[in-house]
């Protein structure tokens, strides 16, 4: 799992973290601590760019749900940008597209 950060066009309080690869048990273990540190540093308005994530398992889905609740507990939110393929199918099958803010691009982020 690779990550990168980018900022959406100002003005917005959102910050964007891009993920690439597979969001599975191995990746979740590696992402937990860096995500926590980034949220502490950047704030609770996180958008995950999933356009280059090709696979997600139940551990990855669990991470997204826990992350959403954690950010909302901090008066923030989580948006998912451009999930596709298997990732989007899983989010739809589990009805999670109703829980998350799902956007086509980071340009659609607004306060």
């Amino acid at each position: 799992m690779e990550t990168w950060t980018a900022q959406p066009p100002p003005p917005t309080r959102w910050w964007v973290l891009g993920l690439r690869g597979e969001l599975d048990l191995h990746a979740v273990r590696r992402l937990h601590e860096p995500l926590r540190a980034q949220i502490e540093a950047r704030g609770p308005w996180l958008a995950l760019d999933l356009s280059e994530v090709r696979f997600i398992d139940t551990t990855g889905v669990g991470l997204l749900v826990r992350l959403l609740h954690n950010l909302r507990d901090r008066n923030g939110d989580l948006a998912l940008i451009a999930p596709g393929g298997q990732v989007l199918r899983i989010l739809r099958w589990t009805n999670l597209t109703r829980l998350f803010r799902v956007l086509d691009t980071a340009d659609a982020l607004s306060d």
Side-chain angles (χ1 to χ4, degrees):
M1 174 65 56
E2 296 177 43
T3 65
W4 71 93
T5 58
Q7 292 294 343
T12 182
R13 58 185 152 192
W14 292 89
W15 61 281
V16 178
L17 177 67
L19 302 178
R20 179 181 297 133
E22 298 182 353
L23 193 50
D24 58 9
L25 177 64
H26 178 70
V28 167
R29 286 182 180 162
R30 290 185 31 227
L31 283 172
H32 179 74
E33 189 57 34
L35 268 174
R36 190 192 62 73
Q38 287 292 319
I39 291 167
E40 290 297 323
R42 295 175 179 262
W45 292 87
L46 170 61
L48 289 178
D49 182 340
L50 301 178
S51 61
E52 295 192 36
V53 175
R54 64 182 181 274
F55 175 81
I56 189 169
D57 68 6
T58 57
T59 311
V61 171
L63 171 73
L64 296 179
V65 172
R66 284 190 312 276
L67 190 54
L68 175 71
H69 291 296
N70 179 284
L71 294 170
R72 287 185 177 168
D73 285 348
R74 296 170 177 237
N75 297 315
D77 205 357
L78 175 66
L80 304 179
I81 300 171
Q86 185 264 355
V87 176
L88 184 57
R89 281 193 307 276
I90 293 296
L91 293 173
R92 285 181 177 158
W93 288 342
T94 57
N95 244 356
L96 290 175
T97 53
R98 300 175 81 190
L99 181 64
F100 292 102
R101 182 184 302 208
V102 180
L103 308 169
D104 292 330
T105 68
D107 293 335
L109 289 168
S110 65
D111 294 338

